[in-house]
Amino acid sequence: IGKNEAAGVFKLLNNYRPETTAAKKQRQRGDAAAAAKGKGKTANVPYQLKFGLKHVTTLVEEKKASIVLIACDVDPIELVLWLPALCRKMEVPFLIVKDKARLGTLVHQKTAAVVALTGVNKEDEAKLKIFQELGLEKFNKNAELMRKWGGGIMGLKTQAKLDKRAKAVAAEDAKKAASLKR
């Protein structure tokens, strides 16, 4: 995605960073104190970014992910190579972003290969909808992107082998044509 679009996505996702352990403890203490005073509802866990390949895969398979961000510089690439196909199959919008370190900073880690957002607050629903449509348009339903998957350029050895095969077929055709003329 472009620089401006990426900035907008990261600005939105920055609001849904997972809690640090200290913030989680403080929230749980507040909930426990509220429960002790007799106030009802104690389970008010805010929406958060989910990360980790296995966890995000489960969210996509269960169609719980609203949007998935995949880093382009994952090494080995085979770790996330199949994820766009899964997202297309399950109709979950995905975006490919520039840096796994950027994704990592969102979730208080060094790096993260993929992150998923399961939901947003009411005030951010419009922004999320825009980014979902962007993902669907640029990646999920982009037939041109699927056709050019892999680049379509063969290696030198394969090109030489195909040239040799084409010459052999041409020579065979020439022999057949010569034998038919006799």
Side-chain angles (χ1 to χ4, degrees):
I1 58 175
K3 197 173 185 179
N4 294 334
E5 296 155 345
V9 170
F10 281 103
K11 188 176 180 184
L12 173 69
L13 295 182
N14 201 31
N15 299 334
Y16 297 98
R17 295 177 74 171
E19 297 173 309
T20 60
T21 51
K24 184 176 181 181
K25 250 183 198 176
Q26 187 175 2
R27 180 182 55 82
Q28 288 174 337
R29 283 190 184 137
D31 289 347
K37 288 180 181 177
K39 294 181 182 173
K41 189 179 173 188
T42 58
N44 60 348
V45 180
Y47 290 116
Q48 297 178 5
L49 276 175
K50 308 294 183 179
F51 63 99
L53 199 54
K54 201 170 187 178
H55 188 52
V56 170
T57 303
T58 306
L59 292 172
V60 171
E61 287 172 344
E62 295 172 354
K63 292 188 178 182
K64 290 183 179 176
S66 299
I67 191 164
V68 175
L69 272 74
I70 306 169
C72 71
D73 60 344
V74 177
D75 189 43
I77 192 71
E78 287 80 11
L79 291 175
V80 295
L81 194 63
W82 49 271
L83 197 55
L86 179 66
C87 288
R88 280 189 193 102
K89 180 182 177 190
M90 303 308 278
E91 297 174 355
V92 175
F94 70 95
L95 297 169
I96 298 175
V97 295
K98 188 175 176 189
D99 199 10
K100 65 183 179 183
R102 262 179 107 178
L103 291 179
T105 56
L106 284 173
V107 292
H108 308 292
Q109 300 283 321
K110 187 175 175 184
T111 60
V114 293
V115 297
L117 190 58
T118 53
V120 293
N121 298 329
K122 294 272 188 210
E123 63 268 8
D124 291 330
E125 283 181 357
K127 286 181 184 177
L128 178 66
K129 189 75 176 160
I130 290 169
F131 293 126
Q132 285 175 330
E133 289 171 5
L134 175 73
L136 288 171
E137 177 189 325
K138 278 198 170 188
F139 295 103
N140 285 54
K141 295 179 179 166
N142 189 349
E144 193 65 29
L145 182 70
M146 287 190 284
R147 271 192 221 115
K148 290 186 178 180
W149 194 37
I153 301 170
M154 292 180 259
L156 292 174
K157 289 181 182 177
T158 307
Q159 287 176 356
K161 192 188 308 182
L162 290 175
D163 289 343
K164 186 177 178 182
R165 212 178 277 164
K167 286 179 185 176
V169 168
E172 187 78 25
D173 289 342
K175 283 183 183 180
K176 282 182 183 178
S179 67
L180 291 174
K181 287 183 181 179
R182 281 188 182 170

